[in-house]
Amino acid sequence: MSVPDRRICVQVVLRGSNPRGLTHTHYTDLVQVRRAYKFRAYPTRPQEGRAVRLLADHCDLYNAALMERREAWQMRQARVSYRMQSAQLTEIRKADPDGQGRHSFTAQQQTLRRLDAVFTAFFDRVSAARKSRANTKPGYPRFKPYQRFSQARFVNGDGAKWVAAGRHEWARASFQAVGSVKVRQHRMVPGTVKALQLKREHRRWYVIVIAETEPVPEPATGRAVGVDLGVARFLTTSDGEVVGNPRFLSASAEVIVDLQRRKARARPGSGNRKRLRRALARQWRKVRNRRRDFHHKTARTLVGSCDVIALEQLNTAGMTRRPAPEPDPGTPGGFLTNQGAAKAGLNKSILDAGWSQFRSILAGKAESAGRRVVLVNPAGTSITCHQCGQRCARPQQDTVICPVHGAMDADVNAAKNIFTRAGLGSGQAASAA
Ligand SMILES: [Zn+2]
C-alpha cells in the first residue's frame, strides 16, 4: 500500500456508526473488565492544528490500506490481512519521515486494526445476506473523507500518556505529534489505563480513556429473564416488567424535525444556515447524552435484579435494510420532504440507534457484576406462541393471537420466547430455536 502525501479526498456519505454485535455470551469467563470514560479536552490552538493534522494522516493511512484491500480483491480476488498491512508500516514511515513517520507506530496499528474490523463486519454481512438469501448487497467499505475521520486510538504508555487530575488540577493526555492536552476529568477512572482515544466531534475535542478493572461479582438474585427490545416500549421482560421509551426522545424528535426543515429552507452558505446546523448538532448531542444516561440506568436496574439476561442476537443484515435514511447533523441536506414520514423515520433512527448501545452497556455492566448475558436467534420470536410454538396472527402491533391459546401481549410473548430459547425454562418454543 502507498500512502499519499495529501490525497484529494473522496466525498462520500458514510452510513452511521455500525457497532459490532456482541459475539461472546459468557462474560463470567473474562478476567478483566474494559470500560471507557469520555472526557472533554481543551487543546491549545497549535495543539488543535497538530491534532487535525494527525487525524488527516491517520485518515490517509486508513484510505491507503483500504485501497490496497480493494485492488487486491478486484484484481486477484485476494484478501489482505491486518498482519500483511501492519508489516508494511515500517517501510511507510521510513519513506515519509515528516508525515506518517512522525506518528506513534502503535497508534497507526490501531487504525489498521480498525479497518480490519470494518472488513470483518463486511464479510459477516456478506455471509449473513447469502444465508438469508435476501436481495440486498452489503455495501463495500468506503473511503473516509477527512471530516468524517474523527478519532485515533493510542496505547497508553506508547505514544500517549494519561496523567489523572490532581486536586484543583486538570488531567493531562499527551499524544505523540500533538503534545500534552488539558482534559476536564469529571470522574475517577478506576483500574489500569490501557488506551487513549483522541476524538473530534464537530468543534469539540474529547479524550476517551479505556481502563481495565477486576470484575466485582454481585450476590445472586435467583432471577433470570428474557428481554424483548421494541419500538413502542423500550423493553419488556419475560416476567412482565415493562420499561417505556422516555418521553424526551419524541420531544427532541419534534425539535429536530423543525430545525431540519428550517435548515433546508435556509440559503446555502448563509450565516443562518450555519447557526441552524450548530443548533441541530447541539440537539443531537443532547439526545445522545440523555439516551445514554437512560440506557445506563435501565441496564443498571436489570443487572442489579437478574443473574441471567437473554437477548436477541443483532441481525446485522436486517439492520442495513433501513427504510428511512438516517439524518445526520454532519451531513448537510438530504432529509425527506414529507414531514410525517420525516418524523417517523427520525423516531425510528433515534430508537434504532439505541438498541446496540444499550446492549453493549448492558454487556459491560453484566461483565463487571459477574452476570451472564445469553444471545438467542431472533427468528420468529415475535410471531410464535411461547406456549405451543404455533404461528400466531398479529392483528395489531401490540397483540398476537395463538390459534390455541388466544390473545397475548406481543412483547411479553416475544420475551418469553427469548427466555426459553436461552435455555432458561422449558417450553415448546425451544424447538424453534
Ligand atoms: Zn399457543
Side-chain angles (χ1 to χ4, degrees):
M1 95 185 108
S2 62
V3 184
D5 195 25
R6 269 290 169 271
R7 175 196 300 273
I8 297 162
C9 77
V10 188
Q11 184 77 38
V12 289
V13 179
L14 292 167
R15 240 177 272 121
S17 63
N18 183 18
R20 299 290 321 279
L22 310 172
T23 49
H24 51 286
T25 51
H26 292 253
Y27 297 101
T28 41
D29 297 347
L30 294 172
V31 188
Q32 294 285 318
V33 180
R34 244 171 202 235
R35 277 271 173 81
Y37 304 86
K38 186 177 174 185
F39 302 124
R40 179 100 185 256
Y42 297 86
T44 61
R45 266 287 168 82
Q47 283 176 340
E48 185 171 21
R50 291 195 290 270
V52 168
R53 168 100 199 266
L54 178 137
L55 289 179
D57 286 342
H58 273 259
C59 184
D60 283 339
L61 179 67
Y62 182 95
N63 285 336
L66 174 57
M67 174 73 98
E68 187 191 24
R69 286 180 184 242
R70 203 172 213 184
E71 285 176 349
W73 185 254
Q74 281 167 354
M75 290 180 194
R76 305 171 263 131
Q77 301 284 295
R79 280 203 200 183
V80 178
S81 68
Y82 161 74
R83 282 168 64 117
M84 289 156 76
Q85 298 203 309
S86 175
Q88 299 175 54
L89 265 179
T90 313
E91 202 91 341
I92 289 169
R93 293 164 57 84
K94 219 185 279 166
D96 185 14
D98 301 324
Q100 296 296 333
R102 302 176 309 131
H103 297 297
S104 156
F105 188 87
T106 46
Q108 288 171 322
Q109 285 182 318
Q110 300 288 334
T111 292
L112 294 178
R113 279 224 172 83
R114 187 169 147 196
L115 178 72
D116 193 54
V118 167
F119 270 85
T120 309
F122 166 67
F123 289 121
D124 283 356
R125 285 200 305 276
V126 169
S127 66
R130 210 172 282 150
K131 245 184 264 164
S132 70
R133 283 182 296 245
N135 219 357
T136 51
K137 204 174 159 209
Y140 194 84
R142 303 189 206 195
F143 293 107
K144 283 203 185 253
Y146 290 139
Q147 69 269 29
R148 295 295 293 256
F149 194 93
S150 58
Q151 55 184 315
R153 188 183 171 118
F154 291 77
V155 175
N156 187 34
D158 186 352
K161 195 169 169 241
W162 172 250
V163 180
R167 196 192 295 248
H168 312 302
E169 272 175 43
W170 293 82
R172 291 263 169 189
S174 342
F175 299 98
Q176 185 173 326
V178 175
S180 166
V181 179
K182 282 201 301 192
V183 176
R184 168 100 57 213
Q185 187 188 353
H186 58 268
R187 58 165 297 181
M188 291 271 293
V189 176
T192 318
V193 175
K194 290 287 177 187
L196 296 177
Q197 258 161 267
L198 179 63
K199 184 163 196 234
R200 179 184 57 200
E201 280 180 20
H202 303 285
R203 297 194 304 174
R204 297 175 181 224
W205 291 85
Y206 295 90
V207 169
I208 296 161
V209 181
I210 292 138
E212 277 184 0
T213 49
E214 302 279 338
V216 185
E218 289 182 18
T221 62
R223 184 183 176 210
V225 291
V227 173
D228 178 60
L229 299 175
V231 175
R233 297 169 186 160
F234 181 69
L235 72 78
T236 307
T237 66
S238 50
D239 47 17
E241 197 184 317
V242 170
V243 179
N245 270 313
R247 211 168 291 156
F248 68 78
L249 285 181
S250 52
S252 297
E254 286 194 19
V255 176
I256 288 170
V257 165
D258 183 53
L259 286 169
Q260 279 281 8
R261 204 187 49 230
R262 281 163 56 198
K263 201 190 90 186
R265 283 203 205 121
R267 196 162 43 79
S270 65
N272 187 31
R273 196 180 170 107
K274 213 173 183 180
R275 257 193 309 283
L276 287 165
R277 198 181 63 222
R278 290 218 188 100
L280 260 172
R282 202 162 44 237
Q283 271 304 321
W284 273 108
R285 194 162 56 232
K286 211 164 119 185
V287 169
R288 282 198 301 271
N289 289 344
R290 297 180 70 183
R291 186 174 53 201
R292 197 188 316 111
D293 288 347
F294 167 71
H295 287 163
H296 273 286
K297 238 165 77 188
T298 311
R300 183 66 248 151
T301 311
L302 212 51
V303 164
S305 65
C306 308
D307 300 335
V308 188
I309 300 153
L311 292 168
E312 286 178 329
Q313 196 135 33
L314 268 182
N315 174 6
T316 42
M319 274 174 68
T320 54
R321 250 179 283 129
R322 203 184 290 274
E326 185 167 25
D328 189 293
T331 317
F335 211 82
L336 299 172
T337 43
N338 177 318
Q339 249 231 80
K343 205 172 148 195
L346 184 65
N347 261 319
K348 191 173 178 329
S349 84
I350 286 182
L351 298 168
D352 266 7
W355 293 333
S356 55
Q357 174 176 280
F358 176 71
R359 284 154 178 280
S360 56
I361 288 172
L362 182 68
K365 291 200 192 302
E367 194 178 5
S368 9
R371 305 300 206 209
R372 200 151 69 90
V373 172
V374 183
L375 299 176
V376 306
N377 177 5
T381 47
S382 54
I383 204 77
T384 311
C385 171
H386 73 276
Q387 292 183 68
C388 64
Q390 288 209 53
R391 201 183 156 83
C392 301
R394 193 168 188 178
Q396 288 153 19
Q397 193 56 32
D398 59 353
T399 312
V400 289
I401 302 173
C402 168
V404 181
H405 297 94
M408 293 173 285
D409 181 291
D411 296 340
V412 174
N413 179 57
K416 286 189 169 170
N417 278 326
I418 294 165
F419 181 81
T420 313
R421 280 191 194 180
L424 300 175
S426 56
Q428 290 285 335
S431 58

